[in-house]
Structures are given as C-alpha cells and as structure tokens.
Amino acid sequence: MPEILIHIAEGRSAESKKALMQDITDAVVKNFGVPPDRVVVQIVESPKHNKSRGGVLFSEM
Amino acid sequence: MPEILIHIAEGRSAESKKALMQDITDAVVKNFGVPPDRVVVQIVESPKHNKSRGGVLFSEM
Amino acid sequence: MPEILIHIAEGRSAESKKALMQDITDAVVKNFGVPPDRVVVQIVESPKHNKSRGGVLFSEM
Amino acid sequence: MPEILIHIAEGRSAESKKALMQDITDAVVKNFGVPPDRVVVQIVESPKHNKSRGGVLFSEM
Amino acid sequence: MPEILIHIAEGRSAESKKALMQDITDAVVKNFGVPPDRVVVQIVESPKHNKSRGGVLFSEM
Amino acid sequence: MPEILIHIAEGRSAESKKALMQDITDAVVKNFGVPPDRVVVQIVESPKHNKSRGGVLFSEM
C-alpha cells in the first residue's frame, strides 16, 4: 500500500515509463513514510484506438 | 474529469469501440455539463483467457 | 461484461449520476449488442480534496 | 456484482490464472451469497517493464 | 503483487467482507505461489445510488 | 492523459495526500512532457476494514 495505477495510451518510451514509476515511488515514500517495497506501481497501457479524449481517439489525434 | 474505464474481453470491433467511446463522451457532456475535452475514456481489454464470468473463461464460452 | 468505472470528484447530483449510468448502459447495449443486465456501471467518487488536475485539488478550484 | 480486477505482471501460466479466477468466484459466491454468473473477474496484465515494486521494474528483479 | 480490487455496492457485512478478503488472499497464495504479505486486496465500495446493473440503480432494486 | 489512481486505506493526512498528488503530477509532466492540466490524479480511499495485506485487515494491524 498504496497501489498506484497509471492509465495511458501506448507510445511512451520504456525509459520515460521507468523513470516515472521510480519518481512516483519516491513521492509516495517521501509523503507517506512507507518503506519503498510497499509501493507498487502498474502502468495500464491501451492501444491508441482504445482511448479517447473529447470523443476523439488517440490514434486519430 | 471524469475518467471512465471500460473493462472488456478482447473481440469487439474497432468501430464498435470507437462508437461506444464517443457515445459515452456525449453522455458525460450532456449529464455533467463538462467540456468534451475533459472526458477521457479508456478501454482496458484483456484476452478472453484472462476474464471469467461465473468462473467460466470467456475463451471457453 | 463490460464493467464500467466512472471516476469523479464528489458534488454531482443524484439525478445527473443516475441519468449518466442509464445513458452509458444504453450506449453499451447499442454498440456491443449485449443484454442490458450484463452492463454494470459503478461511480467511484472521491472527496474533492482527494482529486487533482494539474496538481490543483478540486476542493481548491 | 461484484466485479473483481486482478492487477499482475505478465508471466503467470494460463492454468494458474484460470484456477485463481475460479477460486475467487467461489469465494465470492460463498461469502456474499450471489449467483455465480453475477461474479466477473478480469486479470489486468502488464508487461514486466510496466510494473514496479519499490521503484524496481519486475523485468529487472 | 498482485493487487486485487473488488468493486461492490454498499450493504455487505464487515464479517463477509473480511472473510472474502482472506479467501481471496489464500487463493492467490495457493495458485501463484507468492508470500501472503505480497497480496493486497481493497474493496472499493460505492453507495447503492452510485452503481447500476442494466441501467437500474442498486438503490432501486 | 495520463489518469492516475492511488489506492489507499484511510488515515493519511490531507496535507500528505495533497503533496503526493502534486509530486506525482510533477513527475508525469517531467517524464512524459505533457501539460500539467492533462494530469488527473484521484485517491481511491477505503476504510481500513475494507483493505487487507496478507489477509490481515488494515484495521487490525
């Protein structure tokens, strides 16, 4: 605890996703005072045709 | 806001999924009075062997 | 199936939330061709101090 | 109802995932007294490079 | 890992929810072979007027 | 996009939760290069009797 889910469309680099998960872990440890290994982060990635903003698919932006 | 997650098994056509995301966006705009570009919809799709109803896999229905 | 989660901050009227859930159910039935009673919608509502956009709490907007 | 989401990294066998979904379904039926076909379980599986514990990717453990 | 979310409408007893979380934990340990303290289960409970099946609120069933 | 959900048991201070949402927003902006107002963070908080680790309720730890 806590468990963090990040919902994104595909297309981000592995490096940026790794760095984000590390930064979020650090933020939880700093603010909640929990041991790092209690912090689980999962990226739930959907293809761009499975995500929309304003009714427009990310694959059509 | 709001953020909408749709959990389904694989197998729906791209057309039906696109239309669904558009209709849901319209429904949020109509009922909550928010600008369309505040409405994010993501389809979280799992293979049929990763989803069950009544303990029966969608891949075995 | 499908299961739909709507993530919002508190403050919407019961009437608007009910209408939204009904409209989303209709949209799923229309686009996916499933029986209505297979469509479950849940609103996951957090207090305004537990949700942010751009790092600004909804309670401070 | 209820709808259960299981968030894991890839790498589990189809057999173990099927058995888990069945056992969870049984647990819900037993404890909540609902008909089995009301119980939907979905496994949301991410690649090991999209999940971390303690800031360490599952792909690097 | 894994992290399990159970989405329900309010109205279940504390005893039944506790037993369900324990049974689900046991099922994960048995099928995935992970240590128990890696298994986190969270019940995400919404008021009955915030959940619907077939477009009908749980508060009106 | 992205939309971030943080699943916790109740009991954290409003200050620590606000700071966490701000830090996570900053981390997304830094690593993904998106405008801040595209980053939505929601804390999904459950009572301690609705969350368990290792089958033990947070209310009993």
PDB file of all heavy atoms in Angstrom, chain D residues 8-44:
ATOM      1  N   ILE D   8      -1.670  -7.736 -12.337  1.00  0.00           N
ATOM      2  CA  ILE D   8      -0.435  -8.518 -12.246  1.00  0.00           C
ATOM      3  C   ILE D   8       0.512  -8.162 -13.386  1.00  0.00           C
ATOM      4  O   ILE D   8       0.120  -7.563 -14.390  1.00  0.00           O
ATOM      5  CB  ILE D   8      -0.703 -10.039 -12.293  1.00  0.00           C
ATOM      6  CG1 ILE D   8      -1.348 -10.460 -13.631  1.00  0.00           C
ATOM      7  CG2 ILE D   8      -1.583 -10.480 -11.141  1.00  0.00           C
ATOM      8  CD1 ILE D   8      -1.446 -11.976 -13.806  1.00  0.00           C
ATOM      9  N   ALA D   9       1.770  -8.567 -13.192  1.00  0.00           N
ATOM     10  CA  ALA D   9       2.738  -8.542 -14.289  1.00  0.00           C
ATOM     11  C   ALA D   9       2.610  -9.843 -15.073  1.00  0.00           C
ATOM     12  O   ALA D   9       2.197 -10.871 -14.529  1.00  0.00           O
ATOM     13  CB  ALA D   9       4.143  -8.391 -13.744  1.00  0.00           C
ATOM     14  N   GLU D  10       2.937  -9.778 -16.350  1.00  0.00           N
ATOM     15  CA  GLU D  10       2.893 -10.971 -17.175  1.00  0.00           C
ATOM     16  C   GLU D  10       3.828 -12.051 -16.629  1.00  0.00           C
ATOM     17  O   GLU D  10       4.790 -11.760 -15.929  1.00  0.00           O
ATOM     18  CB  GLU D  10       3.314 -10.628 -18.611  1.00  0.00           C
ATOM     19  CG  GLU D  10       2.273  -9.806 -19.343  1.00  0.00           C
ATOM     20  CD  GLU D  10       2.706  -9.445 -20.758  1.00  0.00           C
ATOM     21  OE1 GLU D  10       3.866  -9.740 -21.110  1.00  0.00           O
ATOM     22  OE2 GLU D  10       1.898  -8.862 -21.482  1.00  0.00           O
ATOM     23  N   GLY D  11       3.522 -13.299 -17.006  1.00  0.00           N
ATOM     24  CA  GLY D  11       4.433 -14.357 -16.635  1.00  0.00           C
ATOM     25  C   GLY D  11       3.777 -15.527 -15.915  1.00  0.00           C
ATOM     26  O   GLY D  11       4.417 -16.543 -15.686  1.00  0.00           O
ATOM     27  N   ARG D  12       2.499 -15.373 -15.562  1.00  0.00           N
ATOM     28  CA  ARG D  12       1.800 -16.480 -14.896  1.00  0.00           C
ATOM     29  C   ARG D  12       1.237 -17.425 -15.965  1.00  0.00           C
ATOM     30  O   ARG D  12       0.833 -16.984 -17.056  1.00  0.00           O
ATOM     31  CB  ARG D  12       0.638 -15.936 -14.055  1.00  0.00           C
ATOM     32  CG  ARG D  12       1.070 -14.969 -12.960  1.00  0.00           C
ATOM     33  CD  ARG D  12       1.773 -15.675 -11.825  1.00  0.00           C
ATOM     34  NE  ARG D  12       2.372 -14.718 -10.897  1.00  0.00           N
ATOM     35  CZ  ARG D  12       3.123 -15.102  -9.880  1.00  0.00           C
ATOM     36  NH1 ARG D  12       3.377 -16.381  -9.671  1.00  0.00           N
ATOM     37  NH2 ARG D  12       3.651 -14.202  -9.072  1.00  0.00           N
ATOM     38  N   SER D  13       1.150 -18.687 -15.647  1.00  0.00           N
ATOM     39  CA  SER D  13       0.607 -19.657 -16.593  1.00  0.00           C
ATOM     40  C   SER D  13      -0.901 -19.502 -16.725  1.00  0.00           C
ATOM     41  O   SER D  13      -1.587 -19.038 -15.800  1.00  0.00           O
ATOM     42  CB  SER D  13       0.918 -21.072 -16.104  1.00  0.00           C
ATOM     43  OG  SER D  13       0.131 -21.373 -14.970  1.00  0.00           O
ATOM     44  N   ALA D  14      -1.409 -19.889 -17.890  1.00  0.00           N
ATOM     45  CA  ALA D  14      -2.854 -19.849 -18.119  1.00  0.00           C
ATOM     46  C   ALA D  14      -3.580 -20.716 -17.094  1.00  0.00           C
ATOM     47  O   ALA D  14      -4.667 -20.363 -16.625  1.00  0.00           O
ATOM     48  CB  ALA D  14      -3.166 -20.316 -19.539  1.00  0.00           C
ATOM     49  N   GLU D  15      -2.984 -21.839 -16.729  1.00  0.00           N
ATOM     50  CA  GLU D  15      -3.634 -22.739 -15.776  1.00  0.00           C
ATOM     51  C   GLU D  15      -3.792 -22.076 -14.406  1.00  0.00           C
ATOM     52  O   GLU D  15      -4.834 -22.164 -13.774  1.00  0.00           O
ATOM     53  CB  GLU D  15      -2.800 -24.021 -15.617  1.00  0.00           C
ATOM     54  CG  GLU D  15      -2.816 -24.932 -16.822  1.00  0.00           C
ATOM     55  CD  GLU D  15      -2.026 -24.368 -18.019  1.00  0.00           C
ATOM     56  OE1 GLU D  15      -1.143 -23.506 -17.796  1.00  0.00           O
ATOM     57  OE2 GLU D  15      -2.290 -24.781 -19.161  1.00  0.00           O
ATOM     58  N   SER D  16      -2.714 -21.416 -13.955  1.00  0.00           N
ATOM     59  CA  SER D  16      -2.789 -20.804 -12.626  1.00  0.00           C
ATOM     60  C   SER D  16      -3.767 -19.633 -12.622  1.00  0.00           C
ATOM     61  O   SER D  16      -4.465 -19.400 -11.630  1.00  0.00           O
ATOM     62  CB  SER D  16      -1.405 -20.353 -12.162  1.00  0.00           C
ATOM     63  OG  SER D  16      -0.923 -19.280 -12.949  1.00  0.00           O
ATOM     64  N   LYS D  17      -3.844 -18.916 -13.735  1.00  0.00           N
ATOM     65  CA  LYS D  17      -4.782 -17.783 -13.790  1.00  0.00           C
ATOM     66  C   LYS D  17      -6.228 -18.284 -13.821  1.00  0.00           C
ATOM     67  O   LYS D  17      -7.101 -17.727 -13.160  1.00  0.00           O
ATOM     68  CB  LYS D  17      -4.474 -16.909 -15.003  1.00  0.00           C
ATOM     69  CG  LYS D  17      -3.138 -16.182 -14.897  1.00  0.00           C
ATOM     70  CD  LYS D  17      -2.912 -15.182 -16.015  1.00  0.00           C
ATOM     71  CE  LYS D  17      -2.591 -15.871 -17.324  1.00  0.00           C
ATOM     72  NZ  LYS D  17      -2.230 -14.920 -18.385  1.00  0.00           N
ATOM     73  N   LYS D  18      -6.459 -19.334 -14.590  1.00  0.00           N
ATOM     74  CA  LYS D  18      -7.812 -19.902 -14.634  1.00  0.00           C
ATOM     75  C   LYS D  18      -8.242 -20.401 -13.253  1.00  0.00           C
ATOM     76  O   LYS D  18      -9.354 -20.119 -12.790  1.00  0.00           O
ATOM     77  CB  LYS D  18      -7.845 -21.060 -15.641  1.00  0.00           C
ATOM     78  CG  LYS D  18      -9.178 -21.770 -15.734  1.00  0.00           C
ATOM     79  CD  LYS D  18      -9.133 -22.892 -16.782  1.00  0.00           C
ATOM     80  CE  LYS D  18     -10.439 -23.673 -16.830  1.00  0.00           C
ATOM     81  NZ  LYS D  18     -10.395 -24.716 -17.884  1.00  0.00           N
ATOM     82  N   ALA D  19      -7.351 -21.112 -12.597  1.00  0.00           N
ATOM     83  CA  ALA D  19      -7.689 -21.646 -11.269  1.00  0.00           C
ATOM     84  C   ALA D  19      -7.937 -20.506 -10.282  1.00  0.00           C
ATOM     85  O   ALA D  19      -8.850 -20.574  -9.449  1.00  0.00           O
ATOM     86  CB  ALA D  19      -6.561 -22.548 -10.767  1.00  0.00           C
ATOM     87  N   LEU D  20      -7.158 -19.445 -10.397  1.00  0.00           N
ATOM     88  CA  LEU D  20      -7.351 -18.312  -9.491  1.00  0.00           C
ATOM     89  C   LEU D  20      -8.717 -17.668  -9.722  1.00  0.00           C
ATOM     90  O   LEU D  20      -9.440 -17.356  -8.759  1.00  0.00           O
ATOM     91  CB  LEU D  20      -6.241 -17.273  -9.688  1.00  0.00           C
ATOM     92  CG  LEU D  20      -6.390 -16.013  -8.842  1.00  0.00           C
ATOM     93  CD1 LEU D  20      -6.369 -16.341  -7.353  1.00  0.00           C
ATOM     94  CD2 LEU D  20      -5.295 -15.007  -9.166  1.00  0.00           C
ATOM     95  N   MET D  21      -9.085 -17.469 -10.966  1.00  0.00           N
ATOM     96  CA  MET D  21     -10.386 -16.848 -11.236  1.00  0.00           C
ATOM     97  C   MET D  21     -11.525 -17.721 -10.730  1.00  0.00           C
ATOM     98  O   MET D  21     -12.513 -17.221 -10.190  1.00  0.00           O
ATOM     99  CB  MET D  21     -10.513 -16.543 -12.727  1.00  0.00           C
ATOM    100  CG  MET D  21      -9.604 -15.383 -13.164  1.00  0.00           C
ATOM    101  SD  MET D  21      -9.919 -14.804 -14.856  1.00  0.00           S
ATOM    102  CE  MET D  21      -9.005 -16.031 -15.791  1.00  0.00           C
ATOM    103  N   GLN D  22     -11.355 -19.028 -10.859  1.00  0.00           N
ATOM    104  CA  GLN D  22     -12.405 -19.930 -10.353  1.00  0.00           C
ATOM    105  C   GLN D  22     -12.481 -19.882  -8.827  1.00  0.00           C
ATOM    106  O   GLN D  22     -13.566 -19.815  -8.251  1.00  0.00           O
ATOM    107  CB  GLN D  22     -12.129 -21.353 -10.849  1.00  0.00           C
ATOM    108  CG  GLN D  22     -12.344 -21.479 -12.361  1.00  0.00           C
ATOM    109  CD  GLN D  22     -11.966 -22.852 -12.903  1.00  0.00           C
ATOM    110  OE1 GLN D  22     -11.070 -23.502 -12.390  1.00  0.00           O
ATOM    111  NE2 GLN D  22     -12.633 -23.266 -13.974  1.00  0.00           N
ATOM    112  N   ASP D  23     -11.325 -19.902  -8.186  1.00  0.00           N
ATOM    113  CA  ASP D  23     -11.323 -19.868  -6.714  1.00  0.00           C
ATOM    114  C   ASP D  23     -11.892 -18.554  -6.194  1.00  0.00           C
ATOM    115  O   ASP D  23     -12.605 -18.525  -5.183  1.00  0.00           O
ATOM    116  CB  ASP D  23      -9.889 -20.055  -6.189  1.00  0.00           C
ATOM    117  CG  ASP D  23      -9.396 -21.491  -6.327  1.00  0.00           C
ATOM    118  OD1 ASP D  23     -10.211 -22.382  -6.614  1.00  0.00           O
ATOM    119  OD2 ASP D  23      -8.185 -21.711  -6.141  1.00  0.00           O
ATOM    120  N   ILE D  24     -11.565 -17.465  -6.858  1.00  0.00           N
ATOM    121  CA  ILE D  24     -12.099 -16.179  -6.413  1.00  0.00           C
ATOM    122  C   ILE D  24     -13.615 -16.137  -6.613  1.00  0.00           C
ATOM    123  O   ILE D  24     -14.354 -15.643  -5.750  1.00  0.00           O
ATOM    124  CB  ILE D  24     -11.395 -15.013  -7.154  1.00  0.00           C
ATOM    125  CG1 ILE D  24      -9.958 -14.874  -6.621  1.00  0.00           C
ATOM    126  CG2 ILE D  24     -12.178 -13.712  -7.003  1.00  0.00           C
ATOM    127  CD1 ILE D  24      -9.149 -13.770  -7.292  1.00  0.00           C
ATOM    128  N   THR D  25     -14.060 -16.669  -7.722  1.00  0.00           N
ATOM    129  CA  THR D  25     -15.512 -16.725  -7.954  1.00  0.00           C
ATOM    130  C   THR D  25     -16.196 -17.515  -6.842  1.00  0.00           C
ATOM    131  O   THR D  25     -17.212 -17.087  -6.271  1.00  0.00           O
ATOM    132  CB  THR D  25     -15.796 -17.361  -9.323  1.00  0.00           C
ATOM    133  OG1 THR D  25     -15.138 -16.592 -10.324  1.00  0.00           O
ATOM    134  CG2 THR D  25     -17.308 -17.396  -9.609  1.00  0.00           C
ATOM    135  N   ASP D  26     -15.626 -18.675  -6.531  1.00  0.00           N
ATOM    136  CA  ASP D  26     -16.195 -19.496  -5.446  1.00  0.00           C
ATOM    137  C   ASP D  26     -16.213 -18.721  -4.124  1.00  0.00           C
ATOM    138  O   ASP D  26     -17.176 -18.815  -3.354  1.00  0.00           O
ATOM    139  CB  ASP D  26     -15.353 -20.773  -5.258  1.00  0.00           C
ATOM    140  CG  ASP D  26     -15.491 -21.736  -6.434  1.00  0.00           C
ATOM    141  OD1 ASP D  26     -16.415 -21.549  -7.254  1.00  0.00           O
ATOM    142  OD2 ASP D  26     -14.670 -22.671  -6.536  1.00  0.00           O
ATOM    143  N   ALA D  27     -15.142 -17.979  -3.864  1.00  0.00           N
ATOM    144  CA  ALA D  27     -15.065 -17.233  -2.596  1.00  0.00           C
ATOM    145  C   ALA D  27     -16.151 -16.163  -2.525  1.00  0.00           C
ATOM    146  O   ALA D  27     -16.733 -15.913  -1.463  1.00  0.00           O
ATOM    147  CB  ALA D  27     -13.681 -16.598  -2.445  1.00  0.00           C
ATOM    148  N   VAL D  28     -16.434 -15.532  -3.671  1.00  0.00           N
ATOM    149  CA  VAL D  28     -17.472 -14.506  -3.671  1.00  0.00           C
ATOM    150  C   VAL D  28     -18.848 -15.134  -3.472  1.00  0.00           C
ATOM    151  O   VAL D  28     -19.673 -14.655  -2.675  1.00  0.00           O
ATOM    152  CB  VAL D  28     -17.445 -13.696  -4.984  1.00  0.00           C
ATOM    153  CG1 VAL D  28     -18.622 -12.721  -5.023  1.00  0.00           C
ATOM    154  CG2 VAL D  28     -16.133 -12.939  -5.127  1.00  0.00           C
ATOM    155  N   VAL D  29     -19.082 -16.236  -4.168  1.00  0.00           N
ATOM    156  CA  VAL D  29     -20.376 -16.919  -4.032  1.00  0.00           C
ATOM    157  C   VAL D  29     -20.593 -17.350  -2.582  1.00  0.00           C
ATOM    158  O   VAL D  29     -21.674 -17.156  -2.006  1.00  0.00           O
ATOM    159  CB  VAL D  29     -20.435 -18.121  -4.987  1.00  0.00           C
ATOM    160  CG1 VAL D  29     -21.650 -18.999  -4.684  1.00  0.00           C
ATOM    161  CG2 VAL D  29     -20.465 -17.638  -6.442  1.00  0.00           C
ATOM    162  N   LYS D  30     -19.536 -17.907  -1.983  1.00  0.00           N
ATOM    163  CA  LYS D  30     -19.654 -18.412  -0.602  1.00  0.00           C
ATOM    164  C   LYS D  30     -19.910 -17.283   0.401  1.00  0.00           C
ATOM    165  O   LYS D  30     -20.793 -17.379   1.251  1.00  0.00           O
ATOM    166  CB  LYS D  30     -18.351 -19.148  -0.222  1.00  0.00           C
ATOM    167  CG  LYS D  30     -18.391 -19.794   1.161  1.00  0.00           C
ATOM    168  CD  LYS D  30     -17.044 -20.382   1.571  1.00  0.00           C
ATOM    169  CE  LYS D  30     -16.097 -19.302   2.076  1.00  0.00           C
ATOM    170  NZ  LYS D  30     -14.910 -19.826   2.759  1.00  0.00           N
ATOM    171  N   ASN D  31     -19.157 -16.211   0.258  1.00  0.00           N
ATOM    172  CA  ASN D  31     -19.219 -15.165   1.285  1.00  0.00           C
ATOM    173  C   ASN D  31     -20.324 -14.146   1.065  1.00  0.00           C
ATOM    174  O   ASN D  31     -20.816 -13.539   2.013  1.00  0.00           O
ATOM    175  CB  ASN D  31     -17.868 -14.446   1.371  1.00  0.00           C
ATOM    176  CG  ASN D  31     -16.796 -15.321   1.979  1.00  0.00           C
ATOM    177  OD1 ASN D  31     -16.884 -15.695   3.145  1.00  0.00           O
ATOM    178  ND2 ASN D  31     -15.799 -15.701   1.178  1.00  0.00           N
ATOM    179  N   PHE D  32     -20.698 -13.909  -0.195  1.00  0.00           N
ATOM    180  CA  PHE D  32     -21.702 -12.880  -0.467  1.00  0.00           C
ATOM    181  C   PHE D  32     -23.059 -13.476  -0.850  1.00  0.00           C
ATOM    182  O   PHE D  32     -24.051 -12.751  -0.939  1.00  0.00           O
ATOM    183  CB  PHE D  32     -21.218 -11.949  -1.588  1.00  0.00           C
ATOM    184  CG  PHE D  32     -20.240 -10.890  -1.137  1.00  0.00           C
ATOM    185  CD1 PHE D  32     -19.794 -10.811   0.170  1.00  0.00           C
ATOM    186  CD2 PHE D  32     -19.766  -9.931  -2.046  1.00  0.00           C
ATOM    187  CE1 PHE D  32     -18.889  -9.822   0.576  1.00  0.00           C
ATOM    188  CE2 PHE D  32     -18.879  -8.942  -1.651  1.00  0.00           C
ATOM    189  CZ  PHE D  32     -18.439  -8.898  -0.341  1.00  0.00           C
ATOM    190  N   GLY D  33     -23.072 -14.773  -1.116  1.00  0.00           N
ATOM    191  CA  GLY D  33     -24.344 -15.397  -1.431  1.00  0.00           C
ATOM    192  C   GLY D  33     -24.963 -14.934  -2.742  1.00  0.00           C
ATOM    193  O   GLY D  33     -26.184 -14.879  -2.870  1.00  0.00           O
ATOM    194  N   VAL D  34     -24.110 -14.611  -3.711  1.00  0.00           N
ATOM    195  CA  VAL D  34     -24.635 -14.186  -5.014  1.00  0.00           C
ATOM    196  C   VAL D  34     -24.559 -15.364  -5.994  1.00  0.00           C
ATOM    197  O   VAL D  34     -23.753 -16.279  -5.820  1.00  0.00           O
ATOM    198  CB  VAL D  34     -23.837 -12.993  -5.592  1.00  0.00           C
ATOM    199  CG1 VAL D  34     -24.032 -11.774  -4.706  1.00  0.00           C
ATOM    200  CG2 VAL D  34     -22.367 -13.323  -5.738  1.00  0.00           C
ATOM    201  N   PRO D  35     -25.405 -15.352  -7.039  1.00  0.00           N
ATOM    202  CA  PRO D  35     -25.303 -16.403  -8.052  1.00  0.00           C
ATOM    203  C   PRO D  35     -23.963 -16.292  -8.771  1.00  0.00           C
ATOM    204  O   PRO D  35     -23.459 -15.185  -8.995  1.00  0.00           O
ATOM    205  CB  PRO D  35     -26.451 -16.077  -9.028  1.00  0.00           C
ATOM    206  CG  PRO D  35     -27.318 -15.080  -8.343  1.00  0.00           C
ATOM    207  CD  PRO D  35     -26.453 -14.366  -7.343  1.00  0.00           C
ATOM    208  N   PRO D  36     -23.359 -17.426  -9.137  1.00  0.00           N
ATOM    209  CA  PRO D  36     -22.038 -17.380  -9.778  1.00  0.00           C
ATOM    210  C   PRO D  36     -21.996 -16.463 -10.989  1.00  0.00           C
ATOM    211  O   PRO D  36     -20.995 -15.749 -11.182  1.00  0.00           O
ATOM    212  CB  PRO D  36     -21.798 -18.847 -10.186  1.00  0.00           C
ATOM    213  CG  PRO D  36     -22.638 -19.650  -9.257  1.00  0.00           C
ATOM    214  CD  PRO D  36     -23.838 -18.813  -8.921  1.00  0.00           C
ATOM    215  N   ASP D  37     -23.044 -16.442 -11.797  1.00  0.00           N
ATOM    216  CA  ASP D  37     -22.917 -15.674 -13.046  1.00  0.00           C
ATOM    217  C   ASP D  37     -23.003 -14.165 -12.826  1.00  0.00           C
ATOM    218  O   ASP D  37     -22.949 -13.393 -13.775  1.00  0.00           O
ATOM    219  CB  ASP D  37     -23.891 -16.165 -14.116  1.00  0.00           C
ATOM    220  CG  ASP D  37     -25.306 -15.696 -13.880  1.00  0.00           C
ATOM    221  OD1 ASP D  37     -25.596 -15.204 -12.777  1.00  0.00           O
ATOM    222  OD2 ASP D  37     -26.112 -15.808 -14.815  1.00  0.00           O
ATOM    223  N   ARG D  38     -23.128 -13.751 -11.574  1.00  0.00           N
ATOM    224  CA  ARG D  38     -23.006 -12.319 -11.259  1.00  0.00           C
ATOM    225  C   ARG D  38     -21.561 -11.930 -10.973  1.00  0.00           C
ATOM    226  O   ARG D  38     -21.268 -10.757 -10.775  1.00  0.00           O
ATOM    227  CB  ARG D  38     -23.850 -11.959 -10.032  1.00  0.00           C
ATOM    228  CG  ARG D  38     -25.349 -11.980 -10.259  1.00  0.00           C
ATOM    229  CD  ARG D  38     -25.775 -10.804 -11.118  1.00  0.00           C
ATOM    230  NE  ARG D  38     -27.223 -10.789 -11.290  1.00  0.00           N
ATOM    231  CZ  ARG D  38     -27.816 -10.529 -12.460  1.00  0.00           C
ATOM    232  NH1 ARG D  38     -27.105 -10.254 -13.538  1.00  0.00           N
ATOM    233  NH2 ARG D  38     -29.124 -10.526 -12.544  1.00  0.00           N
ATOM    234  N   VAL D  39     -20.684 -12.901 -10.910  1.00  0.00           N
ATOM    235  CA  VAL D  39     -19.304 -12.638 -10.498  1.00  0.00           C
ATOM    236  C   VAL D  39     -18.399 -12.582 -11.730  1.00  0.00           C
ATOM    237  O   VAL D  39     -18.192 -13.589 -12.410  1.00  0.00           O
ATOM    238  CB  VAL D  39     -18.795 -13.723  -9.522  1.00  0.00           C
ATOM    239  CG1 VAL D  39     -17.396 -13.361  -9.039  1.00  0.00           C
ATOM    240  CG2 VAL D  39     -19.749 -13.890  -8.352  1.00  0.00           C
ATOM    241  N   VAL D  40     -17.886 -11.403 -11.998  1.00  0.00           N
ATOM    242  CA  VAL D  40     -16.995 -11.214 -13.134  1.00  0.00           C
ATOM    243  C   VAL D  40     -15.595 -10.907 -12.604  1.00  0.00           C
ATOM    244  O   VAL D  40     -15.434 -10.044 -11.738  1.00  0.00           O
ATOM    245  CB  VAL D  40     -17.487 -10.071 -14.048  1.00  0.00           C
ATOM    246  CG1 VAL D  40     -16.494  -9.825 -15.173  1.00  0.00           C
ATOM    247  CG2 VAL D  40     -18.869 -10.407 -14.612  1.00  0.00           C
ATOM    248  N   VAL D  41     -14.623 -11.631 -13.121  1.00  0.00           N
ATOM    249  CA  VAL D  41     -13.227 -11.427 -12.711  1.00  0.00           C
ATOM    250  C   VAL D  41     -12.422 -11.116 -13.965  1.00  0.00           C
ATOM    251  O   VAL D  41     -12.545 -11.807 -14.985  1.00  0.00           O
ATOM    252  CB  VAL D  41     -12.655 -12.697 -12.036  1.00  0.00           C
ATOM    253  CG1 VAL D  41     -11.223 -12.450 -11.584  1.00  0.00           C
ATOM    254  CG2 VAL D  41     -13.521 -13.129 -10.856  1.00  0.00           C
ATOM    255  N   GLN D  42     -11.625 -10.072 -13.901  1.00  0.00           N
ATOM    256  CA  GLN D  42     -10.764  -9.745 -15.047  1.00  0.00           C
ATOM    257  C   GLN D  42      -9.334  -9.552 -14.563  1.00  0.00           C
ATOM    258  O   GLN D  42      -9.088  -8.841 -13.579  1.00  0.00           O
ATOM    259  CB  GLN D  42     -11.267  -8.482 -15.771  1.00  0.00           C
ATOM    260  CG  GLN D  42     -10.431  -8.154 -17.023  1.00  0.00           C
ATOM    261  CD  GLN D  42     -11.091  -7.137 -17.944  1.00  0.00           C
ATOM    262  OE1 GLN D  42     -12.292  -6.904 -17.882  1.00  0.00           O
ATOM    263  NE2 GLN D  42     -10.312  -6.519 -18.810  1.00  0.00           N
ATOM    264  N   ILE D  43      -8.418 -10.201 -15.256  1.00  0.00           N
ATOM    265  CA  ILE D  43      -6.995 -10.020 -14.957  1.00  0.00           C
ATOM    266  C   ILE D  43      -6.447  -8.926 -15.867  1.00  0.00           C
ATOM    267  O   ILE D  43      -6.561  -9.013 -17.094  1.00  0.00           O
ATOM    268  CB  ILE D  43      -6.224 -11.342 -15.155  1.00  0.00           C
ATOM    269  CG1 ILE D  43      -6.735 -12.390 -14.158  1.00  0.00           C
ATOM    270  CG2 ILE D  43      -4.724 -11.116 -15.003  1.00  0.00           C
ATOM    271  CD1 ILE D  43      -6.089 -13.761 -14.300  1.00  0.00           C
ATOM    272  N   VAL D  44      -5.910  -7.893 -15.251  1.00  0.00           N
ATOM    273  CA  VAL D  44      -5.303  -6.788 -15.997  1.00  0.00           C
ATOM    274  C   VAL D  44      -3.792  -6.977 -15.894  1.00  0.00           C
ATOM    275  O   VAL D  44      -3.189  -6.752 -14.848  1.00  0.00           O
ATOM    276  CB  VAL D  44      -5.735  -5.426 -15.426  1.00  0.00           C
ATOM    277  CG1 VAL D  44      -5.064  -4.300 -16.185  1.00  0.00           C
ATOM    278  CG2 VAL D  44      -7.259  -5.281 -15.470  1.00  0.00           C
TER     279      VAL D  44
END
